[in-house]
Amino acid sequence: MKKTKVRFAPSPTGPLHIGGARSALFNYLYAEHCGGEMVLRIEDTDLDRSHREYEEEIIESLQWLGLTWTEGVNIGGDNGPYRQTERLDIYRQYVQQLIDQAQAYYCFCSQEELEAERQEQYAQGLTPRYGGKCSQLDAAEVNRRLAAGEPASIRFRVPHNTFYVVNDLVRDTVSFESGNSGDFIIVKSDGIPVYNFAVVIDDHLMEVTHVIRAEEHLSNTPRQLMIYDALKFPRPEFAHISLILGDDHQKMSKRHGATSLVQYREKGYLPEALFNFLALLGWSPEGEQEIMTKEEIIKSFTLDRVAKSPAVFNIDKLNWMNQQYIKQLSTPELMNLLLPYIQNCPYAGQWAELPGDRTLVLVEAIREHLVCLSDVEGQMGVFFQPLSYDPEAWEILQQENSAPVLQRIRNELPEFTEPQEIKQFIKSVTKDAKLKPKDVFMPLRSALSGRTHGPELPSMIYVWGRENTLNRLDETMQKLGF
Ligand code: GLU
């Protein structure tokens, strides 16, 4: 049996979208599951919209997500080149073969003529398709017009009354009638082949066994099958994966928030979380387990568990998952990931002055409040901003029990070397004064942070340090008038 080989073939016309990332991931997972190979090919035949920067960005995004491939544009391989615009000579040979077999022909129709034909068909209530004006030109005329430099595209001669059946590995049997398609262009008049043609040549020469791609390409498949058959290439297996919808069940678009992988990366979603989340976007493992390692996902990934129905992108689930992955990090690991965000935020200077052990306590204190890494700025405010009070905090501070508690803590706060000692101290004050924990914690938190909730109080006090804590207490007590 032939070795399983898949490919991801992005067009570098923009950043890598969630949908593209999911297609790439499913290809990767399938290849890894089968012990197969994967090609990364760049489909850049749309010269106006393709840009090298996007190609680089796409590759970076794929690498960031943790995907690897065995051959492709950035690493080479036996079946290159891997950029379609560098394969024009290869395509030319196959176009010539089709022309020689009379399965393709030159078309000299101008844009205006084609447009007029379409308008007429619309007016008659017909589906527009090429009427075949150039399909029967004799060789002498074709050669004369080509020699005269007349612009010509090349069309594929669509077989009549043929059914094309795709045994799609996700969608089961899908069939198409050839009569629904007019003879279509395979090479534009500028000499550049179109996607539907180039993709077939490449998948064949690159020995791709499984074409796994977005559902939107299902309608392209019959045209591709016609070319496979005309060139007597064996057909690969196809698997068309469903659309991704936003949570309003409309096609995912900018309206739904971030759509490109880079945006998620910049917000501070972890690649492991996105990998896990995207894998479950249209695929489900047998059990209920949702948090899965890369290895676990690869082990259980099969195409028969890929859903036919559209997948819904649920940002709450991604957020939850990201939090689970943040929880799994050690404190130094989390700190390393947070550093670029911290260094770019308004508290960078104050952060830089904190002793190392306090930075670790700070990171630990905010860990459970982080949905994504960029939340760090919001969470750090309480440590570094000048004191100001929420209405609820101010109300607590004005209750008659508050002043004596604050006074006592002001007088008795000991030197400390770890947050645990502060916790013990607060506990002993609570016990000694015969108060409920809340009656000590709430005034103290309000007095020091101006808020009624936030990171653990002993950790905050530890990060501020004794002197700064006492200053904050003094400031509040002064504002309260005692
Ligand atoms: N270049 C196509 C795209 O980016 C991929 C088509 C395919 O996978 O066959 O949508």
Side-chain angles (χ1 to χ4, degrees), residues 76-77 148 185 374-375 378 388 401 410 442:
I185 291 177
S374 63
D375 290 339
S388 67
N401 300 337
R410 171 75 188 80
M442 288 314 275

Side-chain angles (χ1 to χ4, degrees), residues 333-457:
E333 276 170 346
L334 177 56
M335 180 143 93
N336 264 338
L337 294 176
L338 290 173
L339 273 181
Y341 297 88
I342 296 176
Q343 283 158 354
N344 267 318
C345 87
Y347 315 115
Q350 288 157 287
W351 165 270
E353 281 167 20
L354 276 188
D357 61 328
R358 290 202 213 165
T359 57
L360 286 171
V361 170
L362 188 158
V363 167
E364 203 41 53
I366 61 172
R367 173 199 287 272
E368 66 177 275
H369 301 275
L370 299 175
V371 172
C372 49
L373 302 174
S374 63
D375 290 339
V376 67
E377 178 177 335
Q379 292 300 326
M380 277 171 78
V382 70
F383 293 93
F384 299 121
Q385 276 167 358
L387 256 176
S388 67
Y389 307 87
D390 287 347
E392 307 90 71
W394 191 244
E395 205 180 304
I396 288 171
L397 289 170
Q398 284 177 315
Q399 288 166 3
E400 58 179 322
N401 300 337
S402 296
V405 168
L406 298 181
Q407 192 65 56
R408 178 153 182 195
I409 288 177
R410 171 75 188 80
N411 294 340
E412 296 176 17
L413 182 68
E415 301 281 347
F416 45 77
T417 53
E418 53 170 12
Q420 194 55 27
E421 289 167 18
I422 303 165
K423 199 170 181 172
Q424 278 310 327
F425 162 70
I426 300 176
K427 242 190 190 161
S428 70
V429 171
T430 310
K431 203 167 158 207
D432 201 56
K434 300 199 171 47
L435 291 169
K436 289 192 215 117
K438 174 171 146 276
D439 294 331
V440 177
F441 267 91
M442 288 314 275
L444 189 55
R445 177 183 284 285
S446 304
L448 291 172
S449 72
R451 304 183 195 169
T452 51
H453 35 246
E456 286 227 5
L457 194 49

Side-chain angles (χ1 to χ4, degrees), residues 7-13 20 23 27 41-44 84 195-196 199 203 211-214 216-217 220 224 238 240:
R7 86 304 195 269
F8 179 56
S11 302
T13 54
S23 296
N27 275 289
R41 180 174 72 231
I42 297 295
E43 301 202 328
D44 56 351
Q84 287 187 327
Y195 154 72
N196 272 324
V199 73
D203 284 342
V211 171
I212 303 171
R213 62 185 171 197
E216 65 201 15
H217 289 295
N220 287 320
Q224 295 172 16
F238 289 94
H240 286 93

Side-chain angles (χ1 to χ4, degrees), residues 207-226:
E207 299 176 335
V208 169
T209 58
H210 291 72
V211 171
I212 303 171
R213 62 185 171 197
E215 185 185 3
E216 65 201 15
H217 289 295
L218 185 60
S219 58
N220 287 320
T221 311
R223 289 182 175 194
Q224 295 172 16
L225 290 182
M226 292 175 199

